[in-house]
Amino acid sequence: MSNLPETPIVELVVYKIKQSMQATYVNTSIEEFREFVMSFEGCISYEFYKCMGEPNVFMDIVKWETLELAEKAARRVKIYQKRPEFSAYLASFETVDIFNHFNLQKSWKQN
């Protein structure tokens, strides 16, 4: 049994965007997708990062209230991604290297 307070589920996605699609992805596609994901029940926050060492590598950190709500959203996203409005978003991806959910086990902070 953990002594940690209840913490959100962290969804970690690490992926590579095609260089030719990077500007569109960063300036338009990710914003539209973020708004879409954040409309789902249980979404707490969405953070978007760019790798400092590899310019086409990005990371999303999405926090969810529960694993069940995160998984429900992921199933809905797979269905919605077949729609034409997501074609530019999907065409941007070269690879998805990590897509998984995590829960906090331990945490340390500087005093």
Side-chain angles (χ1 to χ4, degrees), residues 7-12 60-64 70 100-104:
T7 59
I9 299 301
V10 175
E11 181 177 281
L12 176 67
D60 298 345
I61 297 176
V62 186
K63 293 184 180 174
W64 296 93
N100 222 321
H101 297 97
F102 300 84
N103 64 337
L104 181 66

Side-chain angles (χ1 to χ4, degrees), residues 23-68:
T24 300
Y25 184 81
V26 170
N27 295 319
T28 307
S29 299
I30 189 63
E31 183 62 27
E32 292 170 356
F33 188 71
R34 179 202 59 80
E35 287 178 8
F36 174 64
V37 169
M38 291 189 77
S39 72
F40 291 128
E41 177 187 5
C43 185
I44 298 168
S45 66
Y46 195 121
E47 296 175 341
F48 173 60
Y49 295 84
K50 181 176 182 179
C51 181
M52 296 176 71
E54 296 181 56
N56 293 340
V57 175
F58 296 88
M59 176 177 72
D60 298 345
I61 297 176
V62 186
K63 293 184 180 174
W64 296 93
E65 291 176 7
T66 67
L67 179 60
E68 293 76 21

Side-chain angles (χ1 to χ4, degrees), residues 12-18 51 54 56-60 93-102:
L12 176 67
V13 188
V14 179
Y15 52 95
K16 190 172 202 175
I17 295 299
K18 296 174 187 168
C51 181
E54 296 181 56
N56 293 340
V57 175
F58 296 88
M59 176 177 72
D60 298 345
F93 287 87
E94 189 170 307
T95 62
V96 175
D97 300 312
I98 298 172
F99 180 97
N100 222 321
H101 297 97
F102 300 84

